[in-house]
Amino acid sequence: MVDDAPGELVRSLERTAREIRRDVIRMLAEAGSGHPGGSLSMTDLITALVFHELRIDPAHPDEPNRDRLVLSKGHAAPALYAALAHRGYLPHDELFTLRRLGSRLQGHADRNKLPCIEASTGCLGQGIGMAVGMALDARLAGRPSRIYTIIGDGECQAGPTWEALMAGGHYRLSNLTVILDRNGLETDGPTESILGIEPVAEKFRAFRYHTVEIDGHRFPEILGALEAARRRTDGPTAIVAKTIKGKGVSFMENQHAWHGKAPSREEAERALAELPPLP
Amino acid sequence: MGAFGSPAPKPESLRDAYGRTLVELGEADPTMVVLDADLSGSTRTSLFGKRFPDRFFNVGVMEPTMMTIAAGLALSGRTVFASTFAVFAAGQAYNQVRQAICYNQANVKIGATHGGLTVGPDGATHQIVEDIGLMRGLPRMTVVVPGDAPTTAAATRAIAETPGPAYLRMPRENLMTVTDGAFRLGRANELAPGSDLTIVAVGAMLAPALALSERLRESGIGARVLDFASVKPYDAPTLLRAARETGAILVLEEHTVLTGVGALVASATAESYPVPVRRVGVPDVFGESGEAWAVMERYGLGPERLAAEALDLLHVRGKIS
Ligand SMILES: Cc1ncc(C[n+]2csc(CCOP(=O)(O)OP(=O)(O)O)c2C)c(N)n1
Ligand SMILES: [Mg+2]
């Protein structure tokens, strides 16, 4: 399954992910604040969703049968904004208004301001519950929509995360896929030294999720896991994606200090030099 | 004390003052414990954590349960400080604060940082402007909204010394130092004299209140400034004397006008000595991302709006035409 993804598709996703990472760095440097670490760790996941897996169409953002993505770890909005810009939901230039007064690009995404933001998030532990609600709705209405949500590993310390997970498992929501960005770090340090969440895959299994563990930076594995989730008919899927916080920028990688701090102009230049556009 | 004789104004971090005072209190009370929910660098409880690692619990992203754990520690006889951003302390964990802390009368002090619109670029999700109302509505809760760093340090000590639940609201932004920290629970300090108008201010609006008073003084208008940092208990005698002596009150706060200090002042005066009260705060809307003081201006807390409200209020009172 892992090696089925055609090489051209993978190369195209890698190119797009590279552009998104470049945008994230420039957006945050321009804004002067924001969260680079968790944006870069989930960039490959969000690229696979927005450019391959999700049945969405920028020409028809309100199509009722569309798939839905809820970014439960809402502080990583810059990566979502960049992906949506490349997918045609907003002008690319607008990305650089992030966090400015009057911008549609709020520090944490606001569904009332932009298309394809399915839920306003920013308070950890809430997006996943809203995703469960959307999955219940789709099943009730007999719509083919699939619901995806990306959660953080620090977010897995929050009680509401597990309450929502329990509901998704109890209702056997086959149309729900929960993706954990397992980058190992939260604001103040490593999750396992602050308040350990392991064995997290076993917890998901105990909560009745088909659970797979993948490398969250390898597209063949991401695509394979998403495809398997789409085929499920007997309950929700959890994808534990092992990632690197700050992925792609050597001085940010695995550094919790880069959770919520924007790069200076000079740091952004250095970061971009490490992330040249792919041919 | 007055604004006269104060040290030269300079912006200082209220959060630093809070963190440093926690360390002092921890030295004096070897049983005191501090909790945080994965924001210890931002709330500055990390200072206590470095000094007293055994008495510091960073419980991760679980604010409601942090409050119940804090209550358990307090019910076992300890003084407990628990910190996170105001939106998570008062918002996320409201019912835990209500039941586990207030109903239990647990000796938990909530050090809530990043209150109000001046959170700035993070946007509306993090800009809580309802917390003062939520917290002052709770029986047994003490509520303090310091307007500068010295008051923050003094208030942190004061709530530690006073048994029972307390909520200390601090902003993310540094604020001008405008007092010498002569804070007492239940007392409103007069920072500028005047008999034409009273300006009641808390938190980030304290320095703007003094600037407004200065500006009015240049036009011959005496605007008394009351630092209302002690929101609960509040200083009823000083407030009512101000109502009697000045006949009009302007309230400035980085909070929704629906339930904040303006609402408190309006109802307190209405019952005992009705005078026109003008509540200047955040209208009934969510904020948005932007530079802290630009957001404040957008939502009606910029200096021009304050001056216009003051002049309009004086006009209503017939003190100017
Ligand atoms: C309920 C809640 N508490 C606290 C915060 C502040 N906060 C924002 S991100 C974060 C850490 C999240 O860590 P994690 O979920 O691991 O995110 P990632 O590493 O993917 O960036 C915290 C504590 C929040 N947004 N919501
Ligand atoms: Mg993480």
Side-chain angles (χ1 to χ4, degrees), chain A residues 220-264:
Chain A
E221 293 192 32
I222 302 170
L223 298 178
L226 290 172
E227 193 182 319
R230 191 172 280 278
R231 282 199 306 266
R232 288 281 176 193
T233 55
D234 56 347
T237 295
I239 300 173
V240 178
K242 183 89 189 57
T243 58
I244 294 171
K245 199 151 177 171
K247 170 73 176 175
V249 179
S250 59
F251 58 90
M252 291 184 179
E253 286 191 358
N254 292 315
Q255 299 296 320
H256 72 87
W258 285 100
H259 167 79
K261 179 176 74 166
S264 66

Coordinates of all heavy atoms in Angstrom, one line a residue, chain A residues 220-264:
Chain A
P220 N 3.9 8.9 0.4 CA 3.3 7.6 0.1 C 2.6 7.0 1.4 O 1.5 6.5 1.3 CB 4.5 6.7 -0.3 CG 5.4 7.7 -0.8 CD 5.3 9.0 0.0
E221 N 3.1 7.3 2.5 CA 2.5 6.7 3.8 C 1.3 7.5 4.1 O 0.2 7.0 4.5 CB 3.5 6.8 4.9 CG 4.7 5.8 4.8 CD 5.5 5.7 6.1 OE1 4.9 5.8 7.2 OE2 6.7 5.5 5.9
I222 N 1.3 8.9 3.9 CA 0.2 9.7 4.3 C -1.0 9.3 3.3 O -2.1 9.1 3.8 CB 0.5 11.2 4.1 CG1 1.7 11.6 5.0 CG2 -0.7 12.1 4.4 CD1 2.2 13.0 4.7
L223 N -0.7 9.2 2.0 CA -1.8 8.9 1.1 C -2.4 7.6 1.3 O -3.6 7.3 1.2 CB -1.2 9.1 -0.4 CG -0.7 10.4 -0.8 CD1 -0.2 10.4 -2.2 CD2 -1.8 11.5 -0.6
G224 N -1.5 6.6 1.6 CA -1.9 5.2 1.9 C -2.9 5.2 3.1 O -3.9 4.6 3.0
A225 N -2.5 5.9 4.1 CA -3.4 5.9 5.4 C -4.7 6.6 5.1 O -5.8 6.1 5.5 CB -2.6 6.6 6.5
L226 N -4.7 7.7 4.3 CA -5.9 8.4 4.0 C -6.8 7.5 3.2 O -8.1 7.5 3.3 CB -5.6 9.7 3.3 CG -5.0 10.8 4.2 CD1 -4.6 12.0 3.4 CD2 -6.0 11.2 5.3
E227 N -6.2 6.8 2.2 CA -7.0 5.9 1.3 C -7.7 4.8 2.1 O -8.8 4.5 1.9 CB -6.2 5.4 0.2 CG -7.0 4.8 -0.9 CD -6.2 4.2 -2.0 OE1 -5.2 4.9 -2.4 OE2 -6.5 3.1 -2.4
A228 N -6.9 4.2 3.0 CA -7.4 3.1 3.9 C -8.6 3.7 4.7 O -9.6 3.0 4.9 CB -6.3 2.6 4.8
A229 N -8.5 4.9 5.2 CA -9.5 5.5 6.0 C -10.8 5.6 5.2 O -11.9 5.4 5.7 CB -9.1 6.8 6.6
R230 N -10.6 6.0 3.9 CA -11.8 6.2 3.0 C -12.5 4.9 2.8 O -13.7 4.9 2.6 CB -11.3 6.9 1.7 CG -12.4 7.4 0.8 CD -11.9 8.2 -0.4 NE -11.5 9.5 -0.1 CZ -12.4 10.5 0.0 NH1 -13.7 10.3 -0.2 NH2 -12.1 11.8 0.3
R231 N -11.8 3.8 2.8 CA -12.4 2.6 2.5 C -13.2 2.0 3.8 O -14.0 1.1 3.6 CB -11.4 1.5 2.1 CG -11.0 1.7 0.6 CD -10.3 0.5 0.1 NE -9.2 0.0 1.0 CZ -7.9 0.4 0.8 NH1 -7.6 1.1 -0.2 NH2 -7.0 0.0 1.6
R232 N -12.9 2.5 4.9 CA -13.5 2.0 6.1 C -15.0 2.2 6.2 O -15.5 3.2 5.8 CB -13.0 2.6 7.4 CG -11.5 2.3 7.7 CD -11.5 0.9 8.4 NE -10.2 0.5 8.6 CZ -9.8 -0.7 8.9 NH1 -10.7 -1.7 9.1 NH2 -8.5 -1.0 9.1
T233 N -15.8 1.2 6.6 CA -17.2 1.3 6.8 C -17.7 1.0 8.2 O -18.8 1.0 8.5 CB -17.9 0.4 5.8 OG1 -17.5 -1.0 6.0 CG2 -17.7 0.8 4.3
D234 N -16.7 0.6 9.0 CA -17.1 0.1 10.4 C -16.5 0.9 11.5 O -16.2 0.4 12.6 CB -16.7 -1.4 10.5 CG -15.2 -1.5 10.2 OD1 -14.6 -0.6 9.7 OD2 -14.7 -2.6 10.6
G235 N -16.3 2.2 11.3 CA -15.9 3.1 12.4 C -14.8 4.1 12.0 O -14.4 4.0 10.9
P236 N -14.5 5.0 12.9 CA -13.6 6.1 12.5 C -12.1 5.6 12.5 O -11.8 4.5 13.0 CB -13.8 7.1 13.7 CG -14.2 6.2 14.8 CD -15.0 5.1 14.3
T237 N -11.3 6.4 11.8 CA -9.9 6.1 11.7 C -9.1 7.2 12.5 O -9.5 8.4 12.4 CB -9.5 6.2 10.2 OG1 -10.1 5.1 9.6 CG2 -8.0 6.0 10.1
A238 N -8.0 6.8 13.1 CA -7.1 7.7 13.7 C -5.7 7.5 13.0 O -5.3 6.3 12.9 CB -6.9 7.5 15.2
I239 N -5.1 8.5 12.5 CA -3.8 8.4 11.9 C -2.8 9.1 12.8 O -2.9 10.3 13.1 CB -3.8 9.1 10.5 CG1 -4.8 8.4 9.6 CG2 -2.3 9.0 9.9 CD1 -4.9 9.1 8.2
V240 N -1.9 8.4 13.4 CA -0.9 9.0 14.3 C 0.3 9.3 13.3 O 1.0 8.3 12.9 CB -0.5 8.0 15.4 CG1 0.7 8.6 16.2 CG2 -1.7 7.7 16.3
A241 N 0.5 10.5 13.0 CA 1.5 10.9 12.1 C 2.7 11.4 12.9 O 2.7 12.5 13.5 CB 1.0 12.0 11.1
K242 N 3.8 10.6 12.8 CA 5.0 11.1 13.5 C 5.6 12.2 12.7 O 5.9 12.0 11.5 CB 5.9 9.8 13.6 CG 7.2 10.0 14.3 CD 7.1 9.7 15.8 CE 8.3 10.1 16.5 NZ 8.7 11.6 16.4
T243 N 5.8 13.3 13.3 CA 6.4 14.5 12.6 C 7.5 15.2 13.3 O 7.8 14.8 14.5 CB 5.2 15.5 12.3 OG1 4.7 15.9 13.6 CG2 4.1 15.0 11.5
I244 N 8.1 16.1 12.7 CA 9.1 16.9 13.3 C 8.6 18.4 13.4 O 8.3 19.0 12.4 CB 10.4 16.9 12.5 CG1 11.0 15.5 12.5 CG2 11.5 17.9 13.0 CD1 12.1 15.2 11.5
K245 N 8.6 18.9 14.7 CA 8.1 20.3 14.8 C 9.2 21.2 14.2 O 10.4 21.0 14.3 CB 8.0 20.6 16.3 CG 7.1 21.8 16.6 CD 6.4 21.7 17.9 CE 5.6 23.0 18.2 NZ 4.7 22.9 19.3
G246 N 8.7 22.1 13.4 CA 9.6 23.0 12.7 C 10.2 22.4 11.4 O 11.2 22.9 10.9
K247 N 9.6 21.3 10.9 CA 10.2 20.5 9.8 C 10.7 21.4 8.6 O 9.9 22.2 8.1 CB 9.2 19.5 9.4 CG 9.5 18.8 8.1 CD 10.6 17.8 8.3 CE 10.9 17.0 7.0 NZ 12.0 16.0 7.2
G248 N 11.9 21.2 8.3 CA 12.4 21.9 7.1 C 13.4 23.0 7.4 O 14.1 23.4 6.5
V249 N 13.3 23.5 8.6 CA 14.2 24.6 9.0 C 15.1 24.1 10.1 O 14.6 23.9 11.2 CB 13.4 25.9 9.4 CG1 14.3 27.0 9.8 CG2 12.4 26.3 8.3
S250 N 16.4 24.0 9.8 CA 17.3 23.3 10.7 C 17.2 23.9 12.1 O 17.2 23.1 13.1 CB 18.7 23.3 10.2 OG 19.2 24.6 10.0
F251 N 17.2 25.2 12.2 CA 17.3 25.8 13.6 C 16.0 25.8 14.3 O 15.9 26.1 15.5 CB 18.0 27.2 13.5 CG 17.2 28.2 12.6 CD1 16.2 29.0 13.2 CD2 17.6 28.3 11.3 CE1 15.6 29.9 12.4 CE2 16.9 29.3 10.5 CZ 15.9 30.1 11.0
M252 N 14.9 25.4 13.6 CA 13.6 25.3 14.3 C 13.3 23.9 14.6 O 12.4 23.7 15.5 CB 12.5 25.9 13.4 CG 12.5 27.4 13.1 SD 11.1 27.9 12.1 CE 11.4 29.6 12.1
E253 N 13.9 22.9 13.9 CA 13.4 21.5 14.1 C 13.7 21.1 15.5 O 14.7 21.3 16.1 CB 14.2 20.6 13.1 CG 13.7 20.8 11.7 CD 14.2 19.7 10.7 OE1 15.0 18.8 11.2 OE2 13.8 19.7 9.6
N254 N 12.6 20.5 16.1 CA 12.6 19.9 17.4 C 12.9 20.9 18.5 O 13.4 20.5 19.6 CB 13.6 18.7 17.5 CG 13.1 17.6 16.6 OD1 11.9 17.2 16.7 ND2 14.0 17.0 15.8
Q255 N 12.7 22.2 18.3 CA 13.0 23.2 19.3 C 11.6 23.8 19.7 O 11.0 24.5 19.0 CB 13.8 24.3 18.7 CG 15.2 23.9 18.1 CD 16.1 23.4 19.3 OE1 16.1 24.0 20.3 NE2 16.8 22.3 19.0
H256 N 11.3 23.5 21.0 CA 10.0 24.1 21.4 C 10.0 25.6 21.5 O 8.9 26.2 21.5 CB 9.6 23.4 22.8 CG 10.3 23.9 24.0 ND1 10.0 25.0 24.7 CD2 11.4 23.4 24.6 CE1 10.9 25.1 25.6 NE2 11.7 24.2 25.6
A257 N 11.2 26.2 21.6 CA 11.2 27.7 21.6 C 10.6 28.3 20.3 O 10.2 29.4 20.3 CB 12.7 28.1 21.7
W258 N 10.5 27.5 19.2 CA 9.9 27.9 18.0 C 8.4 27.6 17.9 O 7.8 27.7 16.8 CB 10.7 27.4 16.8 CG 12.0 28.2 16.6 CD1 13.2 27.8 17.0 CD2 12.1 29.5 16.1 NE1 14.1 28.8 16.7 CE2 13.5 29.8 16.1 CE3 11.2 30.4 15.5 CZ2 14.0 31.0 15.7 CZ3 11.7 31.7 15.1 CH2 13.1 31.9 15.2
H259 N 7.8 27.2 19.0 CA 6.4 26.9 19.0 C 5.6 28.2 18.6 O 4.7 28.2 17.7 CB 5.9 26.4 20.3 CG 4.4 26.4 20.5 ND1 3.6 25.4 19.9 CD2 3.5 27.3 21.1 CE1 2.3 25.7 20.2 NE2 2.3 26.8 20.8
G260 N 5.9 29.3 19.3 CA 5.0 30.5 19.2 C 5.8 31.8 19.0 O 5.5 32.8 19.6
K261 N 6.9 31.7 18.2 CA 7.7 32.8 18.0 C 8.0 33.0 16.5 O 8.4 32.0 15.8 CB 9.0 32.6 18.7 CG 10.0 33.8 18.6 CD 11.3 33.5 19.4 CE 12.2 32.4 18.8 NZ 13.5 32.4 19.4
A262 N 7.8 34.2 16.0 CA 8.0 34.4 14.5 C 9.5 34.7 14.3 O 10.2 35.2 15.1 CB 7.2 35.7 14.1
P263 N 9.9 34.2 13.1 CA 11.3 34.5 12.7 C 11.5 36.0 12.4 O 10.6 36.6 11.9 CB 11.6 33.7 11.5 CG 10.2 33.5 10.9 CD 9.2 33.5 12.0
S264 N 12.7 36.5 12.7 CA 13.0 37.9 12.3 C 13.3 37.8 10.8 O 13.3 36.7 10.2 CB 14.3 38.3 13.0 OG 15.4 37.5 12.6

